[in-house]
Structure formats: structure tokens, C-alpha cells
Amino acid sequence: MFSKDGKHKDVKTPRICDVVWHDGEFINWNDARVHVMSHVLHYGSSIFEGIRCYSTKQGPAIFRLREHIQRFLNSAKIYRMDHPWTLDQLCNASIDLVKRSEMNQCYIRPILFRSLDEEHPAFGVNPFPNPLACYIGAWDWGKYLGDEAIEQGVDVCVSTWNRLTPNSMPAMAKSGANYMNSQLIKMEALLNGFAEGIALDDRGYVSEGSGENIFLVTGDIVLTPPLSSSILPGITRDSVIQICQELGITVKERTIQRAALYVADELFFSGTAAEITPIRSVDRITVGQGGRGPITEKIQKRFFEITKGERPAPGNWLTYINKSNKSSSEGTGFSPAALESETAAIIVKSA
């Protein structure tokens, strides 16, 4: 996506949906503006989501829409952002936006932030006097870490920047403020010639990438850090765990030492943007055979078969735009607590 020095773009401008959903109505992309003195610009008071809509033979389909929107609502609740929008309303808005975009595939970005009451402006840290604004935009976004990364993998480093401690900033919330930490991790990696960085938690255990969860393969066992390692409860992470269960692959959620990254048979990232991306080296130490490993490939193959609509998912994961009944559509419920319970069940079953 960027040159090795991390400063120059080397990608084409993406196709962008020319309308944006804003507080219940659609407005032109160019009209989606905020005041320079908005609370969010000064204090990072926003929460957001990243959701992919895939091209399938049955038309565009949004991947795990309801689960993403539920996490969006969870993030808002954590940050005491009391808004009027329901799960169904935000799902319907996302569906309508994709329809209006006329794109077969796209990336959907809901965002909720504290704006500015221009008649009665408030400028302090206290967020409560500031009104909330909700927007949903969409654009066509390719492979986050590059097209070749899906097969060849990427070179990464362990960052000198740690993930935030759970009681200083809630990693469970997908908030804009958290991504200042992500930017430090990403910039350091790019400027040192890597595609991505891996952060450790405050105890020195592996946490996640700047915008991705991480999985480690040793033998025939797949490991991933627990939520207590200051990770975002990833929807794609949850999908990988369920895919592994379907494939009969043992998954264990446990703390992972940094050194384990160097001796792993396989490593891969998961995330809405990164999807399933293999890691071929860490700190210039080759991982396994230096490319996509067989278990990663098997998981990746199943994931893309599901997102293309070629194979049934473990749950109701695809919302087909051309067939959607909007608010009556169902999805598989997702919550951090449910994920920990489910993962624990897998571990017990596999022990």
C-alpha cells in the first residue's frame, strides 16, 4: 500500500460510494463534513467499524453484518455514547448504502463521534455536552497488505510500542483513540522496511498487529492470544476459530511468548481488512518455510469459499444485498463473552 519508507502512496485512488448515510438520511460524499472544533478532532472521541461486502454469484453480500454492528453498539456503550440507533436500523442503513453504491464489493465504515454544538460550543475534555453524529461510508478496498500477501505472506517486526493496558484504554472497544497506538506500531514497521508490526501487551506477551489479530500454528494446533492480552475481539478472529472447529483443527486460546513467534511452524493475521494473511518472517527470522503454511492455506481457502458464497458458513454469515429483507434478516450473535465461552468449549473438547 505504501513505499518502503512508508511516506509515498503507490496505490490507485479507490472507487468511493458517492453518498454517505448520516443520522438517518443519505447525503452527498462531499457534504459529509465536521467543524474543525469538533470534540472528536481534539480528543479522539469516536468509535467505528470495518465491514466487508464481498462479490458472490448471488450478488454483493455483507460479511457478518449484524455481528459487526453489535460490536459497534458495544463500543458506544463502553464510551457512554447514548444514541438513538438500533441494531436493525444500522444494519438496514448499511444494506441501503451498498445498494446505492452499485458496487459488487466494498468496505463499509460506520462511525459514531462527538461533534460540536455550534450554538452552544463546549471545548473541554468532558464529552457529555457535545452532540453525537453517526455516519456510514463505503469504498472499494482491495487486499489491505497487498494482493501478493495472501499467498506469499508478509514480513513483520515486533514493535517497540506495547498495546494499551486493559484498565487504561478498553481494547474491547473499537475506538478511534486506540488507533493512535496502532499508528505508532504501523509507522515504525513501515519505516523499518516491514509490512506490519506485532505489539506485545503490558506483560510482554503477544497481543496483536496494528489492525489485525494474530494466530500461531505449532504442529497441528492453532494458538491465538486471549482477550486478556489487550486484543480487539475480532469478528474475523471468531470466524477463524469456528472454521477451525469445522475443519477438526484444535484451537487453543492462551498467552504467547514473543520467542514463540520465531519458532512457530506458521503465523497469520486475521481481520476485516487483512482477511487471512500469512506471515513469512518476524524480525527477519523466517517463519516455517518462509511462506503460507498448509494449515493457514486450508483455513484461508475455507474462509474465501464462505465469503464468495461457494460454501455454507458455520452460521448465518452473509447478508445478500439483492435478497435482503433488511430488519427481518437474521445473523449469528456475537459478543466477547460468548466468544470466550465458545473458545473454552473448543479447548475442552480438544484437550
Side-chain angles (χ1 to χ4, degrees):
M1 184 169 290
F2 289 87
S3 56
K4 287 187 177 180
D5 64 8
K7 297 179 181 179
H8 302 98
K9 292 182 179 179
D10 57 8
V11 294
K12 296 179 181 178
T13 301
R15 181 185 173 192
I16 296 170
C17 178
D18 60 3
V19 295
V20 173
W21 183 89
H22 172 226
D23 288 345
E25 61 181 5
F26 287 94
I27 62 174
N28 291 329
W29 173 276
N30 291 333
D31 293 331
R33 296 286 185 265
V34 299
H35 195 285
V36 70
M37 298 307 293
S38 293
H39 194 272
V40 63
L41 295 180
H42 297 260
Y43 302 108
S45 48
S46 69
I47 58 99
F48 69 97
E49 270 301 319
I51 312 168
R52 274 198 188 267
C53 178
Y54 287 91
S55 176
T56 76
K57 291 181 180 179
Q58 295 79 38
I62 304 177
F63 183 68
R64 303 197 71 175
L65 173 60
R66 295 182 70 85
E67 291 90 335
H68 279 99
I69 296 299
Q70 183 59 61
R71 188 173 64 180
F72 182 75
L73 296 175
N74 292 348
S75 296
K77 186 174 184 178
I78 290 170
Y79 275 99
R80 302 177 188 272
M81 302 172 93
D82 297 326
H83 58 87
W85 308 110
T86 67
L87 177 65
D88 284 336
Q89 287 173 328
L90 293 172
C91 286
N92 290 344
S94 301
I95 292 166
D96 285 341
L97 181 67
V98 174
K99 285 182 178 178
R100 287 169 179 261
S101 76
E102 298 183 346
M103 289 190 280
N104 290 325
Q105 61 181 32
C106 61
Y107 181 91
I108 304 164
R109 169 57 57 82
I111 183 168
L112 178 71
F113 59 86
R114 298 192 187 273
S115 187
L116 178 75
D117 183 342
E118 294 188 40
E119 293 185 4
H120 303 94
F123 303 113
V125 173
N126 175 15
F128 292 126
N130 298 279
L132 292 171
C134 189
Y135 289 81
I136 307 176
W139 60 89
D140 187 357
W141 206 1
K143 302 302 181 188
Y144 180 63
L145 296 174
D147 291 333
E148 70 286 349
I150 295 297
E151 291 186 14
Q152 298 175 16
V154 291
D155 300 310
V156 308
C157 63
V158 174
S159 180
T160 62
W161 296 98
N162 285 354
R163 264 299 186 218
L164 301 157
T165 61
N167 208 35
S168 59
M169 296 283 283
M172 283 178 60
K174 194 174 177 70
S175 69
N178 286 3
Y179 281 76
M180 288 299 289
N181 177 246
S182 296
Q183 288 176 53
L184 291 169
I185 295 164
K186 186 73 173 183
M187 289 188 292
E188 179 184 50
L190 291 173
L191 292 172
N192 285 294
F194 299 98
E196 185 56 283
I198 297 172
L200 306 180
D201 66 19
D202 61 306
R203 302 164 300 167
Y205 292 110
V206 173
S207 180
E208 58 185 354
S210 71
E212 314 90 1
N213 294 122
I214 190 168
F215 286 83
L216 180 153
V217 181
T218 178
D220 58 356
I221 297 173
V222 175
L223 306 174
T224 194
L227 298 184
S228 58
S229 286
S230 290
I231 68 167
L232 180 74
I235 309 298
T236 308
R237 174 182 180 271
D238 176 61
S239 302
V240 168
I241 290 171
Q242 293 194 50
I243 286 170
C244 285
Q245 186 178 23
E246 268 204 343
L247 292 172
I249 298 171
T250 300
V251 180
K252 294 186 178 182
E253 192 177 35
R254 75 175 195 195
T255 53
I256 297 172
Q257 293 185 24
R258 173 179 180 168
L261 299 172
Y262 305 137
V263 297
D265 295 321
E266 304 174 40
L267 292 173
F268 64 89
F269 284 129
S270 73
T272 295
E275 299 170 294
I276 311 293
T277 299
I279 298 169
R280 66 187 175 199
S281 72
V282 180
D283 293 337
R284 309 198 192 284
I285 298 175
T286 301
V287 175
Q289 299 301 311
R292 179 176 59 186
I295 290 181
T296 302
E297 184 175 8
K298 187 181 294 186
I299 295 167
Q300 190 187 69
K301 181 174 182 289
R302 180 63 61 90
F303 176 81
F304 286 123
E305 286 174 346
I306 291 170
T307 56
K308 290 176 182 177
E310 297 172 354
R311 176 186 288 273
N316 225 353
W317 287 3
L318 294 181
T319 299
Y320 289 96
I321 299 303
N322 298 335
K323 302 176 182 178
S324 174
N325 293 322
K326 294 195 189 178
S327 62
S328 63
S329 62
E330 295 181 356
T332 302
F334 171 88
S335 69
L339 176 54
E340 285 198 307
S341 175
E342 177 181 304
T343 306
I346 295 172
I347 294 170
V348 170
K349 184 177 179 180
S350 304

